[in-house]
Amino acid sequence: MKQEYFVLNETFVDDEIYIKNDGMNETERETVVEGKIIQRPQDVYEFYYAKKTLKDFVTSEVTTHVVSEKFKAVLDKIGVSGVAFYPAKLMRTPRSKKSFDNYFMMVVESVSAFDYKNSTYTGIEEENYIGTVQKLEVNASKIEGKHIIRLEELLFPIIITQELKEALEQAQVTGTEYMPINNFHFPVY
């Protein structure tokens, strides 16, 4: 059976939270964008949230993801590799008395798996440059055995297997939606 892959996205509903991270320095931000492990992480990353409904998966910018213990537990149970977790707190303001313990999650497994032959895109294959994507396909043989990755050719999206998608759904993780990879467009408007 052919492995199916999905883009992991955050759901957006008017009353759900959004987050902002002001505590990361420029070096950490660059490391996050590059998808590399932070060599000297902070003890706890602080994210500020607005709105009411907390979710298990929240994003800020395209590469910053804050996840709950429930979300992390699903990945741990499946044995997902290629992901780094750093302690994080969600708070309303810097002086908030109430905070929620979470994790700042980074997908650090980058794979050169963009399928140039079967994707519809603009760019230069010889230079691994992708300008736009109208239809995304991946080379499954390069991903084999990995449940969650980033593509080397694109900063985002997060690509997950059907097995991980089903495990997240079964655990009733909130804040996630799963787009079949061939429905992904870049840039996203």
Side-chain angles (χ1 to χ4, degrees):
M1 183 170 97
K2 182 181 173 190
Q3 175 67 270
E4 290 189 48
Y5 296 96
F6 297 85
V7 173
L8 176 63
N9 287 319
E10 177 186 6
T11 57
F12 290 99
V13 178
D14 288 341
D15 71 339
E16 291 181 332
I17 69 167
Y18 63 89
I19 59 172
K20 182 177 181 183
N21 174 15
D22 287 329
M24 236 183 249
N25 64 44
E26 195 57 38
T27 301
E28 287 174 318
R29 285 184 196 281
E30 288 174 17
T31 301
V32 169
V33 169
E34 293 170 2
K36 296 180 180 174
I37 291 184
I38 299 172
Q39 294 302 316
R40 292 190 179 113
Q42 298 176 28
D43 291 336
V44 176
Y45 287 88
E46 294 180 352
F47 294 87
Y48 305 106
Y49 71 93
K51 300 288 185 175
K52 298 177 183 173
T53 308
L54 291 176
K55 301 182 289 188
D56 296 309
F57 181 78
V58 185
T59 62
S60 170
E61 304 164 4
V62 295
T63 55
T64 305
H65 314 288
V66 176
V67 300
S68 68
E69 179 64 44
K70 181 181 186 181
F71 186 101
K72 182 181 181 300
V74 172
L75 273 63
D76 289 344
K77 184 176 180 183
I78 284 187
V80 169
S81 63
V83 179
F85 294 99
Y86 304 98
K89 288 196 177 297
L90 281 175
M91 304 179 301
R92 285 252 187 213
T93 68
R95 294 186 192 99
S96 292
K97 291 186 177 156
K98 185 174 184 181
S99 64
F100 298 91
D101 291 334
N102 287 270
Y103 296 92
F104 164 38
M105 178 186 88
M106 285 181 51
V107 179
V108 295
E109 181 87 44
S110 292
V111 178
S112 181
F114 186 87
D115 185 340
Y116 289 94
K117 181 180 176 188
N118 295 307
S119 295
T120 305
Y121 69 99
T122 61
I124 305 169
E125 179 178 356
E126 296 78 25
E127 296 179 15
N128 287 342
Y129 169 74
I130 307 297
T132 65
V133 176
Q134 293 78 39
K135 180 183 135 200
L136 174 63
E137 293 292 340
V138 294
N139 183 336
S141 67
K142 294 183 178 182
I143 300 174
E144 196 170 308
K146 298 169 179 60
H147 288 285
I148 186 169
I149 64 157
R150 288 173 44 164
L151 295 172
E152 283 183 10
E153 298 84 358
L154 296 168
L155 289 178
F156 71 100
I158 295 175
I159 307 289
I160 64 171
T161 61
Q162 182 168 346
E163 182 181 352
L164 179 53
K165 172 189 174 285
E166 290 171 358
L168 291 166
E169 289 172 333
Q170 184 176 8
Q172 298 180 349
V173 166
T174 59
T176 54
E177 66 180 17
Y178 314 95
M179 175 193 306
I181 58 164
N182 56 11
N183 290 347
F184 174 77
H185 299 275
F186 176 78
V188 179
Y189 297 109

